[in-house]
Amino acid sequence: MKRRCFAFFLATAACSSPASPAPPRPTPPPSIDAGDADAVTACTEPAPSADHECVRDCGPPVVRPEDPEPVWRWLTADEAARRREYGCPRCLQGTTRIATPSGERAVAELAVGDAIWTLDRTGQRVAGRVVHVGSTPISGPHLLVRLTLADGRVVAASAEHPDATGRALAELTRGAALSGSTVVAIERVPLAGSRTYDVLPSGDSGAYWAEGVVLRSTFAAPRRDVR
């Protein structure tokens, strides 16, 4: 009888003992949305300093299972705030020439505080300052819309990049008015390089000259996923 009771005690204890605890899930770095935490594997290195935040880097959105996982990296608090405010640009190739009071400069060379031509509220060209710059790495093929105007000017940008009136370049057709001329040819051409760029000038218009054509900064347009 004692043996039976002892065996019953051992069986009961085995069944009632707590299961081995599951390994703890890694805690996502601060500032990462809870919904993204499962996919995050970056920002595993210590932050450079206490004022840094782990922010998703600009890049193509993850749409299909085979797409690369999102990349996260440490940004200063100021950089992270700018990313949240302005989003990510997908617009001009780095060699696109932007009009400035000191001459045309490649968009990839511009920095916050640099002088740049823009439009005021009356539509007059005035000197402004670059208040934000941004670039996005592009993986895989990326096509731009290249527009040729009747006066010979040619500009290429991502399909969703707006002209001065806010129209996406992909919406323009032959004969459409653009920057004081008309569109005579529309082509799709591959991006030269692996990043796209954009700048935001000071003032209310968000307008600047790219290859002599007035466009509107994607940072000034309503926030949306532009490519």
Side-chain angles (χ1 to χ4, degrees):
M1 183 66 180
K2 290 183 178 180
R3 289 181 179 178
R4 289 180 180 178
C5 291
F6 184 69
F8 176 78
F9 171 78
L10 290 178
T12 304
C15 292
S16 61
S17 60
S20 300
R25 297 179 63 185
T27 302
S31 79
I32 291 181
D33 294 335
D36 293 317
D38 290 341
V40 173
T41 57
C43 289
T44 54
E45 296 295 326
S49 65
D51 71 336
H52 279 67
E53 298 180 30
C54 188
V55 178
R56 180 171 176 168
D57 198 11
C58 288
V62 178
V63 178
R64 302 164 301 176
E66 62 269 25
D67 289 339
E69 289 293 330
V71 175
W72 297 74
R73 64 191 182 100
W74 294 106
L75 296 179
T76 65
D78 180 64
E79 291 172 327
R82 285 178 172 270
R83 177 66 52 77
R84 287 191 292 269
E85 180 178 359
Y86 297 111
C88 295
R90 299 186 178 99
C91 36
L92 305 172
Q93 52 194 18
T95 55
T96 302
R97 296 172 299 173
I98 305 299
T100 78
S102 59
E104 292 186 328
R105 297 179 59 188
V107 65
E109 299 175 357
L110 294 176
V112 173
D114 287 349
I116 186 174
W117 288 119
T118 186
L119 293 174
D120 64 14
R121 293 183 179 181
T122 66
Q124 298 299 310
R125 187 173 79 162
V126 295
R129 294 286 176 181
V130 174
V131 297
H132 181 65
V133 295
S135 68
T136 299
I138 299 296
S139 60
H142 182 71
L143 294 179
L144 304 178
V145 175
R146 183 166 67 187
L147 303 174
T148 301
L149 305 189
D151 58 12
R153 287 175 291 167
V154 179
V155 66
S158 294
E160 292 295 327
H161 194 101
D163 68 3
T165 68
R167 296 175 300 175
L169 297 190
E171 298 173 4
L172 300 179
T173 58
R174 289 181 180 86
L178 179 63
S179 191
S181 187
T182 56
V183 177
V184 296
I186 303 173
E187 303 169 90
R188 294 280 182 154
V189 296
L191 171 73
S194 59
R195 303 184 74 91
T196 57
Y197 297 80
D198 204 4
V199 297
L200 177 64
S202 57
D204 298 324
S205 70
Y208 57 79
W209 278 260
E211 302 293 347
V213 177
V214 183
L215 299 180
R216 187 182 183 192
S217 172
T218 55
F219 297 127
R223 287 288 298 278
R224 54 182 172 174
D225 187 22
V226 291
R227 290 196 176 194

